[in-house]
Amino acid sequence: MPQKVAILGGGMGGLVTAFELTNQPGWQERFEVTVYQLGWRLGGKCASSRGPNARIEEHGIHGFMGSYFNALPMMSDLYAELGRKPGQPLATFEEAFNPSNFTLLWEWQNGELKPWPARTPPNDIPPTDGSYYKGVQTAIAAIITEVGEMLEAVPGVPKLVSEALELLLDKAKAQLNAPIPLGPDHPLLHEVRTARKVVAGIVKTIDVLAPSIAAHADTLRQALLTLDFYATLIVGVLADNVAVEGYDRLDEENWSDWLVRHGISKATLASPVVMVTVNICYQSPNGDTSRAARMGAGCYVDWTMRGCAYMGALLWSFSAGTGETIVAPMYEVLKRRGVKFEFFHKVDALRLTDDRRAIGAIEYTLQATLKDPEAGYHPLIDVKGLPSWPADPHYDQLVEGEYLRATEIDLESYWNGWPNAAFPHLKEPRYLRRGHEFDQVVFAISMGAIPYLCKELIEESPAWAGMVEHLPTVQTQAMQLWLSRDMYEMGWAEKLDPATNELALSGTYFCAPNGNANFPDLLKWEEWPADQYPKALWYFCGLMPDYEAPPPFSDTDYPRRQSERVKAQCIQYLQATIGFMLPKATVRANSGLGDPMGLDFGLLVDTSDCGAEGVQRFDSQFWRANIDPTERYVTSPPGSVAYRLEAWGSGFENLTLAGDWIYTGLNVGSFEGATMGGKLASYAISASPALDTIIGYPTMPRPPSARSAVPPPHEGVQAPKLRAVG
């Protein structure tokens, strides 16, 4: 009899768990897999849908790092199995993912933001096999190679400087292969420290170097500060013996303190190159960007070092929305394999057995009933040949559909007041029961929901209580703008190369939504009137501080208030900051008068036919407050890794954990973290995939200080075997 596996949550952690469980030959004889999801769409924080004009509307900015050693190969396998025919949209992995090596950082100098363009060299490492990554040594080798190519590309470098640095890099390459463990006694440590001293001397004297480099002084300075940053990373991981002892032992220290301890220069520490990791990983305490970022040094260094060891390109962007590129293909493949999906199932609580040792029941709310239960719910729509997710449920498939349509109740919101008295049959608590609907449970719902859904577990287990207390989550906010001029017409200064898929992707810009990107290639998947076709599609995303505790879920006006808050902040942001990045998009640039920093809102494409002018045109754009417990981002402050539970470490015999919030070794909120979490959950249940195939999962045991460390199961297992079902 196959074991019934109930996967709670259709975010990427849950979907990857299902993908890996069903990746095994003969899985149907061992498992019956069902994914339970609130609302009408999958993807979690990666969910996207189609709005007016078939606009792609996201939770934020999504893409893959080239260091996603597990996620990229998995997507390659997924697309191979998807089997779309040649000529169909996004038929192959190569059509769905685009390599890019450009990012634009911003540095505050002399009272204004100045651009810091960064181009990383491409390499020949295929993104379809992450096994090339062997940890610290791979990262150091990649850094040395990239630095050499970066310096060659910097114009105007004095010959004496370039020769000195090239000699040091050559020595470093040779020393890297020395037959000595990569630790504090390795000769590479001396070479890198010497290189850093040379760099520090050049930075101090750059203003008095030959006049011939004056035009390139900023570029040279930026390159040298980047080199100092990389040198500090290498010095630190060697001095702290990370290759042997792992990154976790650094976690009690804050990231910036670690850099200072290992000798980073003041100029480098004040530069944007050190801020990229804490910005894209949302590490401001309580989501408040007016406070200095806090991140465990182990998480910071591991993420950054991995990022340098990218496959093919630094970044891999999506050819369509996240829902079309990632989530719909995953759903189609899993559905085809035989995984069951139960939409409109909102988990309310996990209930323990009488002996408090296992999950005995899952309490849930049935949000809607199907007109044709036998046919099941069909969630997707077709947009220009792409399976996509609608912005609302298919009301015509639901018994309560017309009421939900008329009232515009958001089934994804915890504050929706649904179900209400009009449908008493939905208000009755419902249960999935052990031995009936499930044998094993995979909890793949985001960390932010645990205090609400797992109260019995928190009361019973100090490890769960510690995780909730020490692993904070933060809110985010996002907006998207459709504009009638392209980025160059709006004053974007850095010329991008379309042949190499370079994107206008910015980090370290003004807070709070300090990340932004232009995705004009996505417009072809949307439906716009020919005379109102946008030329730019700009995304902004960032943190949103918690000024007060979230109210009870009975406060159904809370989502509206938070949406209005985001709208006001977005308008203020556009009025105060756009001039540095897009100087020809400002009021003054287009009228000769007015604000030199504020956006000319007349550039926003508005097809609503309501005649809106000025700021009112913002009403036609897209923004969202990511406030629900399942939407909150999990941070990695100092000391938090010790409290992360393993996939197999729930402490309850039939409960496995999945997601980017569990202990993965990476321990940073990301698609890669969710992929690793899903693989680990599958391993916990079935011994597959093997731990040594989960790239980047630590080979050394967790340090003794870890409050929740549980040894991996299945050690010495020669063939997959299942846990006993009690």
Side-chain angles (χ1 to χ4, degrees):
M1 177 82 60
Q3 289 199 59
K4 295 179 179 180
V5 180
I7 298 177
L8 308 182
M12 295 319 303
L15 295 179
V16 174
T17 303
F19 184 78
E20 293 295 338
L21 284 174
T22 59
N23 237 359
Q24 306 167 41
W27 70 269
Q28 296 93 335
E29 298 175 5
R30 305 167 59 204
F31 305 119
E32 183 179 305
V33 181
T34 305
V35 176
Y36 295 90
Q37 172 65 29
L38 89 164
W40 67 97
R41 60 178 177 166
L42 302 171
K45 290 186 282 293
C46 289
S48 69
S49 59
R50 297 303 190 116
N53 301 108
R55 301 186 316 192
I56 296 169
E57 297 175 346
E58 304 266 7
H59 277 69
I61 301 172
H62 296 296
F64 282 1
M65 299 283 290
S67 55
Y68 282 13
F69 305 117
N70 296 281
L72 280 164
M74 181 188 69
M75 295 311 302
S76 176
D77 294 342
L78 178 75
Y79 269 82
E81 184 175 345
L82 187 62
R84 289 176 177 167
K85 296 178 181 179
Q88 286 185 293
L90 275 57
T92 65
F93 172 84
E94 290 75 17
E95 293 174 29
F97 297 89
N98 305 303
S100 179
N101 284 290
F102 175 82
T103 54
L104 186 65
L105 309 181
W106 294 88
E107 181 180 26
W108 186 260
Q109 275 192 322
N110 302 321
E112 62 178 351
L113 275 184
K114 290 189 176 181
W116 179 309
R119 284 182 169 86
T120 52
N123 60 49
D124 296 328
I125 301 166
T128 54
D129 182 5
S131 63
Y132 107 98
Y133 180 71
K134 307 298 182 186
V136 172
Q137 182 154 354
T138 306
I140 292 176
I143 288 172
I144 293 172
T145 299
E146 290 159 24
V147 166
E149 295 187 33
M150 177 184 69
L151 290 174
E152 289 179 7
V154 176
V157 180
K159 184 177 181 181
L160 183 63
V161 173
S162 63
E163 288 178 348
L165 291 175
E166 286 172 11
L167 179 62
L168 288 167
L169 287 172
D170 288 341
K171 287 184 178 180
K173 285 181 182 178
Q175 296 288 11
L176 184 60
N177 297 318
I180 300 174
L182 276 176
D185 298 324
H186 199 283
L188 177 62
L189 185 57
H190 171 74
E191 300 298 340
V192 177
R193 281 174 170 160
T194 302
R196 191 167 58 182
K197 289 179 182 178
V198 172
V199 169
I202 299 169
V203 171
K204 288 179 181 178
T205 59
I206 197 168
D207 293 334
V208 296
L209 289 174
S212 61
I213 73 157
H216 309 292
D218 279 346
T219 304
L220 176 58
R221 174 181 159 276
Q222 291 166 2
L224 293 173
L225 293 180
T226 302
L227 177 54
D228 179 57
F229 175 54
Y230 286 157
T232 303
L233 292 174
I234 295 174
V235 166
V237 298
L238 292 177
D240 287 344
N241 204 20
V242 168
V244 174
E245 298 185 7
Y247 288 101
D248 292 353
R249 289 165 172 78
L250 311 180
D251 185 65
E252 297 294 329
E253 190 172 11
N254 192 40
W255 68 280
S256 55
D257 296 335
W258 185 89
L259 291 174
V260 170
R261 178 163 65 85
H262 289 293
I264 197 169
S265 73
K266 290 183 179 180
T268 305
L269 192 61
S271 73
V273 70
V274 306
M275 295 297 298
V276 173
T277 293
V278 292
N279 277 355
I280 66 174
C281 298
Y282 299 143
Q283 298 297 319
S284 297
N286 205 40
D288 185 354
T289 55
S290 70
R291 299 169 62 185
R294 299 274 298 167
M295 186 178 190
C299 296
Y300 176 92
V301 179
D302 188 11
W303 175 275
T304 309
M305 294 286 285
R306 291 189 198 210
C308 297
Y310 52 82
M311 301 180 292
L314 178 69
L315 304 166
W316 290 82
S317 64
F318 304 157
S319 293
T322 314
E324 291 84 10
T325 308
I326 304 291
V327 187
M330 181 70 83
Y331 169 75
E332 291 182 294
V333 166
L334 292 177
K335 188 76 172 175
R336 189 185 304 164
R337 287 181 178 182
V339 173
K340 299 176 183 178
F341 288 87
E342 295 288 353
F343 293 93
F344 309 107
H345 282 60
K346 179 183 178 295
V347 175
D348 294 319
L350 271 61
R351 302 299 185 190
L352 295 176
T353 53
D354 291 341
D355 62 8
R356 318 296 281 179
R357 294 175 56 188
I359 305 302
I362 300 161
E363 183 179 336
Y364 72 97
T365 295
L366 184 64
Q367 297 178 297
T369 50
L370 301 180
K371 291 180 178 178
D372 187 350
E374 292 296 321
Y377 183 71
H378 297 276
L380 298 174
I381 58 175
D382 182 279
V383 181
K384 296 189 173 182
L386 273 182
S388 305
W389 302 88
D392 299 298
H394 290 294
Y395 296 118
D396 59 331
Q397 297 183 37
L398 306 177
V399 172
E400 303 82 8
E402 290 310 310
Y403 184 91
L404 290 168
R405 188 200 307 272
T407 54
E408 298 184 342
I409 288 172
D410 180 3
L411 293 180
E412 292 182 335
S413 172
Y414 278 50
W415 286 274
N416 60 18
W418 179 259
N420 59 30
F423 295 93
H425 67 286
L426 295 180
K427 292 180 70 67
E428 301 171 5
R430 297 169 187 256
Y431 297 91
L432 308 174
R433 298 189 183 277
R434 186 186 189 189
H436 296 275
E437 290 81 15
F438 71 86
D439 300 308
Q440 301 281 346
V441 179
V442 178
F443 187 86
I445 300 174
S446 187
M447 173 75 198
I450 288 178
Y452 302 101
L453 310 185
C454 303
K455 292 180 180 179
E456 291 188 14
L457 284 66
I458 295 168
E459 292 172 359
E460 182 69 23
S461 167
W464 280 77
M467 180 174 64
V468 169
E469 180 181 356
H470 295 280
L471 204 59
T473 63
V474 291
Q475 298 177 144
T476 61
Q477 58 183 315
M479 70 170 162
Q480 295 172 210
L481 307 177
W482 288 261
L483 297 122
S484 60
R485 296 183 187 173
D486 67 35
M487 60 184 182
Y488 299 114
E489 292 174 319
M490 291 187 290
W492 176 273
E494 187 70 23
K495 187 66 177 176
L496 303 182
D497 182 5
T500 56
N501 304 302
E502 288 188 340
L503 292 170
L505 178 64
S506 288
T508 67
Y509 198 60
F510 282 111
C511 293
N514 51 18
N516 60 74
N518 183 27
F519 294 113
D521 288 348
L522 299 187
L523 293 168
K524 64 177 176 287
W525 300 115
E526 301 178 345
E527 297 174 348
W528 294 91
D531 60 345
Q532 291 181 296
Y533 197 91
K535 292 184 178 181
L537 169 52
W538 222 284
Y539 285 42
F540 295 79
C541 189
L543 286 163
M544 184 170 71
D546 287 290
Y547 292 131
E548 58 186 2
F553 296 139
S554 58
D555 184 356
T556 57
D557 189 54
Y558 181 64
R560 183 199 63 78
R561 299 198 304 271
Q562 293 301 91
S563 178
E564 288 298 312
R565 174 187 170 193
V566 171
K567 177 184 176 182
Q569 290 175 161
C570 288
I571 291 173
Q572 183 183 40
Y573 182 86
L574 295 171
Q575 289 175 322
T577 70
I578 208 68
F580 284 124
M581 185 170 65
L582 300 173
K584 295 182 181 179
T586 64
V587 176
R588 179 169 295 184
N590 291 303
S591 68
L593 301 170
D595 192 342
M597 285 291 114
L599 176 70
D600 177 359
F601 287 88
L603 299 178
L604 299 177
V605 175
D606 181 359
T607 60
S608 62
D609 296 326
C610 64
E613 296 183 1
V615 172
Q616 289 183 334
R617 292 179 71 85
F618 185 81
D619 291 347
S620 66
Q621 306 303 292
F622 177 76
W623 66 93
R624 66 173 293 129
N626 296 316
I627 58 173
D628 274 275
T630 55
E631 295 175 334
R632 295 176 68 94
Y633 182 88
V634 182
T635 61
S636 309
S640 63
V641 164
Y643 292 92
R644 287 181 180 247
L645 298 174
E646 293 89 351
W648 48 82
S650 73
F652 302 97
E653 60 189 43
N654 64 340
L655 178 62
T656 299
L657 309 178
D660 63 4
W661 50 272
I662 71 170
Y663 180 82
T664 63
L666 179 60
N667 302 322
V668 175
S670 59
F671 194 102
E672 175 74 351
T675 300
M676 296 177 72
K679 286 175 174 283
L680 290 165
S682 176
Y683 168 82
I685 293 173
S686 68
S688 179
L691 286 183
D692 59 5
T693 66
I694 302 175
I695 309 303
Y697 183 76
T699 57
M700 68 287 294
R702 296 179 70 179
S705 62
R707 278 80 172 178
S708 54
V710 177
H714 312 302
E715 291 187 1
V717 170
Q718 299 301 314
K721 64 170 69 170
L722 301 179
R723 297 175 180 174
V725 180

